[in-house]
Amino acid sequence: MLRGLLAPDERARADRFRFEADAHRLIIGRGVLRLLMGQLLHMLPQRVAFTYSDSGKPSIVGVHFNVAHSGELILIATHQYRIGVDVERVDRMIDVAAMGSACFTARERAMIIANAATQETIFRLWTRKEAWLKAVGSGLSFPLRHVDVADTTAPVIAPDAVIDGAPPSRIVDLPAEPGYVAACAVSGPEECRTRLWLVENTWRPNLPWYNSFDDV
């Protein structure tokens, strides 16, 4: 069903994956994204036209949205201004000492230590930071240590950081399935509406396929 909503280049990309699970993830993620964008733009999902950055990130003129996936979950968000989201499965070990000051600020490392370096704390900070970076539009090309996300209501940006446009004004920790953490970074006035969907990669026709979060 969802494969039929994809553009020819999207289907071709899915067919190039070596592993079926990767192809399935693309079909589910892009198919659901087309459904949601079609609702938003009042058009058939098949007629939604994406443009792509050099890194392959899809965009639509006049629409702000962002997509993240990890494990069996896909997170999709739309907003009136810049937005970034991230979801991570908390099932792998991270060497905080090795990452050190390259990724986390002194305040973030103190937060990790205060919480006994738990996986959830580490990934919570990582999802906040990744969501913020995606909202900025720089991705991981922006030095991770140049933004401090220990306080979600007031992200701290390094004085020498170079950002194109206004940075996200706040970060929200999102509810997620057990074993996952997620975050959203948004710009603009707080009364602006943000819509979020958490999609399961195991989606099948005639089964519930998303949980819609409250506006943030």
Side-chain angles (χ1 to χ4, degrees), residues 135-187:
V136 167
S138 303
L140 293 179
S141 63
F142 186 93
L144 295 173
R145 65 184 182 280
H146 281 190
V147 58
D148 184 299
V149 296
D151 181 357
T152 58
T153 61
V156 178
I157 308 167
D160 56 343
V162 178
I163 299 174
D164 180 18
S169 56
R170 63 192 184 281
I171 301 171
V172 180
D173 292 329
L174 301 175
E177 299 297 315
Y180 290 83
V181 293
C184 173
V186 293
S187 303

Side-chain angles (χ1 to χ4, degrees), residues 34-187:
R34 283 186 169 277
L35 285 171
L36 297 175
M37 292 299 104
Q39 290 179 357
L40 183 66
L41 299 172
H42 306 290
M43 64 172 59
L44 292 173
Q46 299 93 321
R47 296 179 63 88
V48 174
F50 295 104
T51 57
Y52 297 90
S53 67
D54 293 339
S55 62
K57 179 182 177 181
S59 63
I60 300 174
V61 176
V63 179
H64 295 277
F65 68 93
N66 198 233
V67 181
H69 60 79
S70 180
E72 295 299 321
L73 297 181
I74 301 170
L75 179 59
I76 301 173
T78 63
H79 190 52
Q80 294 170 259
Y81 294 86
R82 286 183 176 184
I83 189 167
V85 292
D86 190 42
V87 59
E88 297 287 344
R89 186 170 62 185
V90 188
D91 66 346
R92 66 183 189 273
M93 298 301 297
I94 293 181
D95 189 339
V96 179
M99 296 173 74
S101 58
C103 297
F104 295 116
T105 66
R107 188 168 66 155
E108 290 169 341
R109 294 197 302 274
M111 181 177 172
I112 292 171
I113 293 171
N115 287 276
T118 63
Q119 290 295 96
E120 182 172 347
T121 299
I122 296 168
F123 277 99
R124 179 69 66 192
L125 285 169
W126 182 266
T127 56
R128 292 176 184 176
K129 196 175 291 265
E130 177 73 0
W132 191 94
L133 293 172
K134 291 173 72 177
V136 167
S138 303
L140 293 179
S141 63
F142 186 93
L144 295 173
R145 65 184 182 280
H146 281 190
V147 58
D148 184 299
V149 296
D151 181 357
T152 58
T153 61
V156 178
I157 308 167
D160 56 343
V162 178
I163 299 174
D164 180 18
S169 56
R170 63 192 184 281
I171 301 171
V172 180
D173 292 329
L174 301 175
E177 299 297 315
Y180 290 83
V181 293
C184 173
V186 293
S187 303

